[in-house]
């Protein structure tokens, strides 16, 4: 018991979404690296990777600490470090734990060239085809490839890039990136990897040997606009809490810090035990929906650290103790993100303090998983 704020993770929905990503990806039996960085976008990296262990081709993370967490949990599939290593001494761990690494910069290439490994490593050589962040310039890509290819402790090189604007309805920029990538890799051997969630869905011509969806696996559309994909995926996370106080204030009464909201009519105020310390966005505007007993109540007043307030005047049957859903299957996180002028990625990653409960695969498929992990 205790505080009612809860994150519920549906691992069957995660498996469903992984299979959708696989179906979208597989023109030629493509691999799907499940991106589980940032603790699987706060869904729990170990739980999610374990739940996908019998179907996923591999996992992608942001750093060695995240990779080791998965290895320690018994994950045997390839694990890719999306930014490679930050310090040369990580190469020993890459070797020991058989990790795949991105190489995106000359200093990494120099460090790898100076550090023979016992077990030849698979390298994902990253081109900056127009994202403007990390990766070798298209003109220096071939030379970097040749240097890598000359190292006996590099067993395989995957040609990789990343899109800046694949989530936009007008995907000209992504087309341009794809053209740049293709032009500068046309006569290089090896597998290719380009697509994040948005590109897996919206840029079929960019799907290749290895796709790298993240957000899509969690059942959230990567697009700012309504998109058909929403009908195919299932939200994995539900964030909920409960009503801990109800009172009626007169017209003219105000609610919350800064007295930013004033009642225009006698108003029934409900208090929900969740706030910005839990990761609910403080910038959510008045009117942001909160789902209570299947009906939407509007957020009113400023979100506090541990509580927020909703207008229950039009929901007279709501009682103390009723559950309030902040986002989940019937209240898309994309909608809440828009109301808070942010993106679902940030809402997910900002989650904090809320206990996580798991449903589905982890429990029911336990026996199968243990066989896979032996
Ligand atoms: C985070 C990340 C992804 C996954 O992005 P989504 O938009 O969540 O699908 C893919 N590739 C790279 C290089 C990333 O850093």
């Amino acid at each position: 018991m205790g505080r009612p704020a809860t994150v519920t993770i549906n691992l069957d929905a995660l498996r469903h979404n992984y299979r959708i990503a696989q179906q979208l990806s597989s023109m030629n039996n493509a691999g799907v690296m499940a991106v589980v960085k940032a603790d699987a976008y706060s869904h729990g990296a170990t739980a999610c990777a374990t739940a996908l262990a019998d179907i996923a081709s591999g996992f992608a993370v942001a750093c060695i600490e995240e990779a080791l967490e998965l290895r320690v949990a018994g994950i045997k599939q390839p694990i890719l470090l999306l930014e490679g290593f930050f310090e040369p001494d990580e190469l020993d761990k890459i070797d020991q734990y058989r990790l795949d690494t991105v190489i995106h910069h000359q200093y990494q290439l120099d460090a790898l060239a100076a550090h023979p490994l016992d077990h030849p490593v698979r390298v994902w050589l990253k081109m900056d085809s127009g994202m403007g962040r990390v990766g070798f310039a298209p003109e220096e890509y071939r030379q970097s490839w040749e240097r890598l290819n000359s190292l006996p402790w590099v067993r395989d090189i995957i040609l990789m890039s990343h899109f800046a604007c694949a989530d936009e309805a007008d995907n000209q920029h992504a087309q341009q990136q794809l053209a740049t990538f293709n032009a500068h890799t046309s006569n290089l051997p090896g597998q290719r990897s380009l697509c994040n969630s948005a590109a897996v869905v919206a840029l079929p011509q960019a799907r290749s040997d290895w796709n790298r969806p993240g957000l899509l696996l969690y059942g959230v559309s990567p697009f700012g606009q309504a998109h058909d994909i929403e009908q195919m995926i299932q939200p994995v996370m539900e964030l909920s809490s409960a009503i801990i106080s109800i009172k009626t204030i007169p017209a003219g009464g105000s609610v919350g810090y800064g007295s930013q909201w004033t009642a225009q009519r006698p108003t029934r105020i409900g208090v929900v035990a969740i706030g910005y310390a839990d990761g609910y966005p403080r910038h959510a505007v008045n009117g942001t929906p909160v789902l209570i007993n299947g009906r939407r109540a509007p957020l009113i007043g400023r979100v506090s650290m541990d509580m927020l307030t909703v207008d229950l005047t039009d929901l007279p049957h709501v009682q103390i103790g009723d559950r309030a859903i902040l986002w989940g299957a019937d209240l898309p996180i994309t909608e809440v993100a828009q109301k808070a002028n942010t993106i679902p990625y940030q809402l997910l990653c900002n989650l904090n303090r809320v206990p996580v409960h798991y449903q589905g695969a982890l429990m029911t498929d336990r026996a199968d998983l243990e066989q896979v992990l032996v």
Side-chain angles (χ1 to χ4, degrees), residues 101-347:
T101 183
V102 161
I103 297 277
H104 64 73
H105 197 280
Q106 189 62 38
Y107 74 82
Q108 292 177 324
L109 189 43
D110 292 342
L112 181 60
H115 196 301
L117 304 176
D118 291 338
H119 311 94
V121 64
R122 182 163 65 178
V123 172
W124 300 54
L125 183 64
K126 190 159 184 180
M127 180 194 296
D128 180 2
S129 59
M131 175 79 177
R133 200 175 55 178
V134 293
F136 290 89
E139 302 72 42
E140 55 190 24
Y141 193 74
R142 159 172 288 279
Q143 208 184 340
S144 309
W145 184 91
E146 278 165 2
R147 175 110 185 273
L148 256 187
N149 193 238
S150 73
L151 302 177
W153 50 95
V154 171
R155 71 176 157 91
D156 205 1
I157 305 174
I158 294 179
L159 316 178
M160 175 196 187
S161 195
H162 190 58
F163 291 113
C165 307
D167 56 326
E168 288 175 11
D170 172 7
N171 59 19
Q172 256 187 315
H173 188 272
Q175 305 274 9
Q176 185 56 51
Q177 282 194 254
L178 181 58
T180 300
F181 179 82
N182 286 340
H184 289 86
T185 56
S186 58
N187 43 15
L188 287 177
Q191 296 183 313
R192 277 127 172 96
S193 176
L194 290 155
C195 291
N196 59 1
S197 294
V200 166
V201 176
L203 267 182
Q205 63 277 45
R207 295 174 194 154
S208 49
D209 305 288
W210 291 95
N211 299 295
R212 311 184 306 267
L215 194 68
L216 192 67
L217 302 179
Y218 308 106
V220 179
S221 165
F223 304 104
Q225 317 285 328
H227 195 287
D228 288 346
I229 192 67
E230 290 157 28
Q231 270 68 63
M232 299 173 68
I233 53 180
Q234 301 170 1
V236 173
M237 178 189 292
E238 179 182 272
L239 175 65
S240 69
S241 190
I243 304 278
I244 59 165
S245 168
I246 296 179
K247 67 179 63 165
T248 300
I249 63 167
S254 63
V255 173
Y257 283 115
S259 300
Q260 290 279 305
W261 187 88
T262 305
Q264 303 299 309
R265 56 176 179 175
T267 301
R268 196 163 174 257
I269 307 286
V271 180
V272 181
I274 197 131
Y276 62 78
D278 305 296
Y280 190 88
R282 183 174 173 280
H283 294 290
V285 295
N286 284 320
T288 303
V290 174
L291 200 64
I292 304 166
N293 299 341
R295 306 251 330 255
R296 288 171 172 226
L299 178 77
I300 55 172
R302 277 196 191 147
V303 173
S304 315
M305 190 182 287
D306 314 310
M307 291 178 274
L308 57 76
T309 36
V310 292
D311 184 345
L312 296 178
T313 314
D314 298 329
L315 300 179
H317 299 297
V318 171
Q319 298 174 0
I320 287 178
D322 285 354
R323 298 298 299 178
I325 294 171
L326 290 313
W327 58 69
D330 297 317
L331 178 50
I333 190 172
T334 45
E335 198 176 328
V336 180
Q338 270 162 10
K339 296 282 190 187
N341 194 25
T342 184
I343 53 174
Y345 295 86
Q346 193 187 25
L347 292 187

